[in-house]
Short mmCIF file of all heavy atoms in Angstrom, two decimals:
data_model
loop_
_atom_site.label_atom_id
_atom_site.label_comp_id
_atom_site.label_asym_id
_atom_site.label_seq_id
_atom_site.Cartn_x
_atom_site.Cartn_y
_atom_site.Cartn_z
N ALA H 98 113.38 109.32 95.38
CA ALA H 98 114.45 109.98 96.03
C ALA H 98 114.81 111.35 95.38
O ALA H 98 115.11 112.36 96.11
CB ALA H 98 115.70 109.07 96.05
N ALA H 99 114.81 111.45 94.06
CA ALA H 99 115.17 112.69 93.41
C ALA H 99 114.13 113.79 93.67
O ALA H 99 114.54 114.98 93.82
CB ALA H 99 115.36 112.45 91.88
N ARG H 100 112.91 113.38 93.79
CA ARG H 100 111.83 114.39 94.08
C ARG H 100 111.97 114.89 95.52
O ARG H 100 111.79 116.03 95.81
CB ARG H 100 110.37 113.79 93.90
CG ARG H 100 109.29 114.61 94.40
CD ARG H 100 109.02 115.80 93.54
NE ARG H 100 108.40 115.42 92.30
CZ ARG H 100 108.35 116.17 91.21
NH1 ARG H 100 108.82 117.43 91.20
NH2 ARG H 100 107.76 115.77 90.09
N TRP H 101 112.35 113.97 96.49
CA TRP H 101 112.60 114.41 97.82
C TRP H 101 113.81 115.41 97.83
O TRP H 101 113.67 116.43 98.52
CB TRP H 101 112.85 113.21 98.74
CG TRP H 101 112.88 113.74 100.16
CD1 TRP H 101 111.94 113.81 101.04
CD2 TRP H 101 114.09 114.21 100.82
NE1 TRP H 101 112.33 114.42 102.21
CE2 TRP H 101 113.67 114.64 102.14
CE3 TRP H 101 115.41 114.36 100.51
CZ2 TRP H 101 114.58 115.18 103.09
CZ3 TRP H 101 116.29 114.93 101.36
CH2 TRP H 101 115.89 115.30 102.67
N LEU H 102 114.84 115.12 97.10
CA LEU H 102 116.05 115.99 97.16
C LEU H 102 115.67 117.27 96.50
O LEU H 102 116.14 118.36 97.03
CB LEU H 102 117.17 115.30 96.40
CG LEU H 102 118.47 116.00 96.35
CD1 LEU H 102 118.99 116.31 97.80
CD2 LEU H 102 119.53 115.23 95.55
N GLN H 103 114.88 117.28 95.46
CA GLN H 103 114.46 118.54 94.88
C GLN H 103 113.69 119.38 95.82
O GLN H 103 113.83 120.62 96.01
CB GLN H 103 113.60 118.23 93.62
CG GLN H 103 113.02 119.46 92.92
CD GLN H 103 112.04 119.15 91.82
OE1 GLN H 103 111.31 118.12 91.90
NE2 GLN H 103 112.12 119.84 90.70
N ALA H 104 112.75 118.74 96.56
CA ALA H 104 112.00 119.43 97.54
C ALA H 104 112.85 120.01 98.69
O ALA H 104 112.64 121.10 99.20
CB ALA H 104 110.91 118.46 98.21
N GLU H 105 113.89 119.28 99.02
CA GLU H 105 114.83 119.70 100.10
C GLU H 105 115.50 120.93 99.58
O GLU H 105 115.62 122.02 100.39
CB GLU H 105 115.81 118.59 100.44
CG GLU H 105 116.54 118.86 101.73
CD GLU H 105 117.71 119.71 101.70
OE1 GLU H 105 118.36 119.77 100.51
OE2 GLU H 105 118.11 120.31 102.67
N MET H 106 115.94 120.93 98.32
CA MET H 106 116.68 122.14 97.79
C MET H 106 115.75 123.36 97.71
O MET H 106 116.23 124.52 97.78
CB MET H 106 117.20 121.81 96.40
CG MET H 106 118.35 120.84 96.43
SD MET H 106 119.01 120.66 94.70
CE MET H 106 119.67 118.98 94.87
N ASP H 107 114.42 123.03 97.59
CA ASP H 107 113.41 124.18 97.51
C ASP H 107 112.83 124.48 98.91
O ASP H 107 111.79 125.14 99.01
CB ASP H 107 112.29 123.76 96.52
CG ASP H 107 112.80 123.85 95.08
OD1 ASP H 107 113.82 124.48 94.73
OD2 ASP H 107 112.11 123.17 94.28
N ASP H 108 113.42 123.98 99.99
CA ASP H 108 112.91 124.18 101.33
C ASP H 108 111.47 123.63 101.56
O ASP H 108 110.71 124.30 102.30
CB ASP H 108 113.02 125.64 101.75
CG ASP H 108 114.46 126.10 101.92
OD1 ASP H 108 115.31 125.23 102.39
OD2 ASP H 108 114.76 127.18 101.41
N ARG H 109 111.07 122.58 100.92
CA ARG H 109 109.80 122.01 101.04
C ARG H 109 109.85 120.50 101.42
O ARG H 109 108.75 119.84 101.31
CB ARG H 109 108.97 122.17 99.68
CG ARG H 109 108.79 123.56 99.24
CD ARG H 109 107.72 124.25 100.16
NE ARG H 109 107.37 125.56 99.68
CZ ARG H 109 108.06 126.63 100.09
NH1 ARG H 109 109.09 126.62 100.92
NH2 ARG H 109 107.66 127.86 99.64
N ALA H 110 110.94 120.03 101.80
CA ALA H 110 111.02 118.51 102.07
C ALA H 110 110.31 118.18 103.32
O ALA H 110 110.33 118.82 104.36
CB ALA H 110 112.51 118.10 102.26
N PRO H 111 109.51 117.03 103.25
CA PRO H 111 108.81 116.55 104.33
C PRO H 111 109.73 115.67 105.25
O PRO H 111 110.87 115.38 104.84
CB PRO H 111 107.77 115.64 103.70
CG PRO H 111 108.39 115.16 102.47
CD PRO H 111 109.21 116.37 101.98
N ARG H 112 109.33 115.40 106.44
CA ARG H 112 110.10 114.51 107.35
C ARG H 112 110.19 113.13 106.77
O ARG H 112 109.39 112.74 105.90
CB ARG H 112 109.34 114.46 108.78
CG ARG H 112 109.08 115.73 109.40
CD ARG H 112 110.14 116.38 110.24
NE ARG H 112 111.00 115.50 111.04
CZ ARG H 112 110.76 115.43 112.36
NH1 ARG H 112 109.84 116.07 112.95
NH2 ARG H 112 111.49 114.64 113.11
N VAL H 113 111.23 112.39 107.20
CA VAL H 113 111.56 111.16 106.64
C VAL H 113 111.62 110.05 107.77
O VAL H 113 112.14 110.36 108.81
CB VAL H 113 113.00 111.19 105.94
CG1 VAL H 113 113.41 109.90 105.43
CG2 VAL H 113 112.89 112.23 104.79
N TYR H 114 111.14 108.86 107.41
CA TYR H 114 111.27 107.74 108.31
C TYR H 114 112.46 106.96 107.82
O TYR H 114 112.40 106.19 106.84
CB TYR H 114 110.02 106.79 108.34
CG TYR H 114 108.82 107.49 108.83
CD1 TYR H 114 107.86 108.06 107.96
CD2 TYR H 114 108.60 107.63 110.11
CE1 TYR H 114 106.70 108.69 108.45
CE2 TYR H 114 107.44 108.33 110.67
CZ TYR H 114 106.52 108.83 109.78
OH TYR H 114 105.40 109.46 110.21
N LEU H 115 113.60 107.10 108.48
CA LEU H 115 114.87 106.54 108.02
C LEU H 115 114.85 104.95 108.05
O LEU H 115 115.41 104.30 107.16
CB LEU H 115 116.03 107.07 108.76
CG LEU H 115 116.36 108.47 108.64
CD1 LEU H 115 117.49 108.98 109.55
CD2 LEU H 115 116.68 108.83 107.16
N LYS H 116 114.19 104.41 109.08
CA LYS H 116 114.18 102.91 109.23
C LYS H 116 113.31 102.29 108.12
O LYS H 116 113.38 101.06 107.89
CB LYS H 116 113.66 102.49 110.62
CG LYS H 116 114.64 102.93 111.70
CD LYS H 116 114.12 102.63 113.09
CE LYS H 116 115.06 103.11 114.11
NZ LYS H 116 114.57 102.90 115.45
N ARG H 117 112.47 103.18 107.44
CA ARG H 117 111.61 102.69 106.41
C ARG H 117 112.16 103.07 105.05
O ARG H 117 111.52 102.74 103.99
CB ARG H 117 110.19 103.26 106.53
CG ARG H 117 109.53 102.85 107.80
CD ARG H 117 108.16 103.57 107.88
NE ARG H 117 107.61 103.49 109.23
CZ ARG H 117 106.59 104.14 109.62
NH1 ARG H 117 105.97 105.12 108.79
NH2 ARG H 117 106.12 103.97 110.82
N THR H 118 113.27 103.82 105.02
CA THR H 118 113.85 104.28 103.74
C THR H 118 114.94 103.37 103.24
O THR H 118 115.77 102.97 103.97
CB THR H 118 114.43 105.72 103.96
OG1 THR H 118 113.41 106.71 104.24
CG2 THR H 118 115.18 106.30 102.74
N HIS H 119 114.74 102.95 101.96
CA HIS H 119 115.67 101.94 101.37
C HIS H 119 117.06 102.43 101.15
O HIS H 119 117.22 103.67 100.87
CB HIS H 119 115.07 101.50 100.04
CG HIS H 119 115.64 100.19 99.61
ND1 HIS H 119 116.90 100.10 98.93
CD2 HIS H 119 115.11 98.97 99.62
CE1 HIS H 119 117.14 98.82 98.68
NE2 HIS H 119 116.02 98.11 99.05
N ILE H 120 118.03 101.61 101.41
CA ILE H 120 119.42 101.99 101.31
C ILE H 120 119.74 102.55 99.89
O ILE H 120 120.65 103.40 99.77
CB ILE H 120 120.38 100.82 101.67
CG1 ILE H 120 121.74 101.28 101.87
CG2 ILE H 120 120.31 99.72 100.58
CD1 ILE H 120 122.67 100.34 102.54
N LYS H 121 119.00 102.20 98.92
CA LYS H 121 119.24 102.70 97.48
C LYS H 121 118.98 104.18 97.45
O LYS H 121 119.54 104.81 96.58
CB LYS H 121 118.33 101.98 96.49
CG LYS H 121 118.81 100.56 96.21
CD LYS H 121 119.81 100.52 95.13
CE LYS H 121 120.15 99.10 94.76
NZ LYS H 121 120.89 98.94 93.51
N ALA H 122 118.24 104.75 98.37
CA ALA H 122 118.09 106.20 98.36
C ALA H 122 119.32 106.95 98.53
O ALA H 122 119.48 108.08 97.98
CB ALA H 122 117.07 106.55 99.53
N LEU H 123 120.28 106.33 99.18
CA LEU H 123 121.57 106.96 99.46
C LEU H 123 122.37 107.12 98.16
O LEU H 123 123.35 107.91 98.15
CB LEU H 123 122.38 106.17 100.44
CG LEU H 123 121.72 105.96 101.81
CD1 LEU H 123 122.62 105.21 102.73
CD2 LEU H 123 121.29 107.28 102.38
N GLU H 124 121.99 106.51 97.06
CA GLU H 124 122.65 106.70 95.74
C GLU H 124 122.28 108.13 95.27
O GLU H 124 122.92 108.60 94.35
CB GLU H 124 122.23 105.65 94.77
CG GLU H 124 122.75 104.27 95.10
CD GLU H 124 122.30 103.16 94.19
OE1 GLU H 124 121.60 103.46 93.17
OE2 GLU H 124 122.67 102.00 94.40
N ILE H 125 121.23 108.65 95.76
CA ILE H 125 120.73 109.99 95.30
C ILE H 125 120.80 111.07 96.39
O ILE H 125 121.16 112.15 96.13
CB ILE H 125 119.30 109.85 94.81
CG1 ILE H 125 119.27 108.91 93.58
CG2 ILE H 125 118.64 111.20 94.41
CD1 ILE H 125 117.97 108.39 93.18
N VAL H 126 120.46 110.69 97.68
CA VAL H 126 120.47 111.61 98.72
C VAL H 126 121.46 111.17 99.86
O VAL H 126 121.34 110.09 100.37
CB VAL H 126 119.05 111.68 99.35
CG1 VAL H 126 118.98 112.76 100.38
CG2 VAL H 126 117.99 111.97 98.31
N PRO H 127 122.33 112.02 100.15
CA PRO H 127 123.32 111.73 101.30
C PRO H 127 122.60 111.50 102.64
O PRO H 127 121.67 112.17 102.96
CB PRO H 127 124.24 112.86 101.36
CG PRO H 127 124.09 113.63 100.02
CD PRO H 127 122.65 113.37 99.55
N LEU H 128 123.09 110.53 103.39
CA LEU H 128 122.49 110.24 104.68
C LEU H 128 122.52 111.49 105.63
O LEU H 128 121.54 111.63 106.34
CB LEU H 128 123.19 108.95 105.33
CG LEU H 128 122.62 108.51 106.65
CD1 LEU H 128 121.13 108.19 106.57
CD2 LEU H 128 123.43 107.37 107.20
#
Side-chain angles (χ1 to χ4, degrees):
R100 173 69 75 194
W101 186 90
L102 185 58
Q103 179 186 38
E105 197 277 334
M106 289 184 206
D107 290 340
D108 293 320
R109 297 289 184 270
R112 304 281 310 264
V113 174
Y114 296 101
L115 294 175
K116 294 175 182 179
R117 300 176 190 168
T118 295
H119 198 281
I120 194 167
K121 287 274 187 167
L123 301 182
E124 294 177 2
I125 297 167
V126 185
L128 183 57

